[in-house]
Amino acid sequence: MNLSRAQRIASGCPGVDAVVIHNASSPFLDPLFWYVTEQASGTFEGSFAVISKDGSLDIVSSPLEETTAKKGLGTVHVYETREERDSLLSGLLKKCDRIGICGRSVTYSASEYIRKIGTADLTDVSSEIADITAVKDAKEISDIRKASDISSKTASRIPEMLRSGMTEKEMARMIDSAMRSDGGTGNAFETICAFGPNSAEPHHRPSDRKIRKGDTALFDFGSKYGMYCSDLTRTVFLGEPDSVLRRAYEVVLKAKNAGMLEMYDNAPAKNADIAARKIIDESEFKGRFIHSFGHGMGMSIHESPSVSSRSDDTLKEGMIVSAEPGIYIPGIGGIRIEDSVLITKNGFKELTEFDEMMTVI
């Protein structure tokens, strides 16, 4: 029998009598709330989700979210006043001696409130929850596939959208608009458009720099579908690039393919990074790969597992991770090629698609 997400968390967090998830005010909203309720909308500021050790789920929310809350999973309890909220939570937690919280996402004030209301010891179950949510269920995989399809469709339009003299900001707006037009529900993260030397900055924010002939044009973006993210990076050139960038592109593509061959069920996550880094460091671009090979994704763009050479994580069937090696040459430009990848029983499946061969526009 398939377990609900709340049941998975309960069974994966032994030693606690309940797990409490809290949304503060934006930006301190916890994606776990939407994860366990399987909601696709609402803000739920100030709401709580209580997962009991038997896997049952209770939602404590204000009238503002009552209608939306009842469309999701869990028994909904509505409070009018702070005193009613305190009473509801106290009743749900009164038999608890130890309460689990996700220390990576709960605010300090919320944890102190839970401690006081529950009159129990608190335990950080962040690591346990990260291991659970890293493996996606069928619905999550379906939503990330759709998000990836949207990003891929937008990527296919880049050669026709990019033109001489346009700015990074203009191109970023066009990419964002295209993802929405193609069915996206929002951006997974702020779109990166980087031209020329700016592409040597992995997290460059779009500026008013105009693209010129011979420039590298690096695009890192992702659509959301429902609550789920995709991630894709492509690097193209407006006119013939410098020969060093052409060589760098070939090395990055080779490194990406080598890393992905190390991605399969029960493989150490670090092996993908090690394989890709070996190829880059044996080339003329040693030391120019300055970030990890990849990361997990889901409702947040960065989740467990970590796909780096220092990672202790193990890849599991059902995980979705990025594969994104890069080479960055200050003052000249950078190359990054990235796809969202589903880990399967026998290997991997790329969810994002766009021709990886060098594109000169």
Side-chain angles (χ1 to χ4, degrees), residues 151-161 182 221 353-354:
S151 295
S152 300
K153 187 174 182 180
T154 296
S156 72
R157 298 182 183 185
I158 286 174
E160 65 188 53
M161 290 193 291
D182 291 335
F221 58 93
E353 295 181 359
F354 178 63

Side-chain angles (χ1 to χ4, degrees), residues 65-76:
E65 306 282 6
E66 180 178 2
T67 300
T68 306
K70 289 180 177 177
K71 294 178 181 178
L73 301 182
T75 301
V76 178

Side-chain angles (χ1 to χ4, degrees), residues 236-301:
V236 301
F237 303 95
L238 186 70
E240 187 62 29
D242 188 296
S243 60
V244 70
L245 291 171
R246 181 176 283 275
R247 296 195 302 273
Y249 194 100
E250 293 172 354
V251 173
V252 170
L253 183 56
K254 183 179 179 182
K256 177 174 177 284
N257 291 333
M260 289 193 301
L261 289 176
E262 300 295 332
M263 299 176 116
Y264 51 86
D265 186 39
N266 282 321
K270 65 182 179 182
N271 286 2
D273 185 291
I274 291 170
R277 199 169 299 277
K278 181 174 186 293
I279 286 175
I280 293 174
D281 283 348
E282 288 180 349
S283 75
E284 65 186 285
F285 304 106
K286 182 177 181 179
R288 297 298 185 186
F289 181 16
I290 55 177
H291 53 73
S292 64
F293 185 81
H295 55 83
M297 69 189 78
M299 286 189 172
S300 299
I301 194 58

Side-chain angles (χ1 to χ4, degrees), residues 1-17:
M1 182 176 70
N2 291 329
L3 297 178
S4 71
R5 296 174 187 176
Q7 288 171 328
R8 288 176 61 199
I9 289 176
S11 63
C13 297
V16 298
D17 301 303

Side-chain angles (χ1 to χ4, degrees), residues 99-120:
I99 295 171
I101 59 170
C102 189
R104 296 176 183 175
S105 54
V106 70
T107 64
Y108 175 77
S109 60
S111 64
E112 288 300 295
Y113 171 77
I114 295 166
R115 188 194 312 276
K116 178 181 176 182
I117 288 294
T119 64

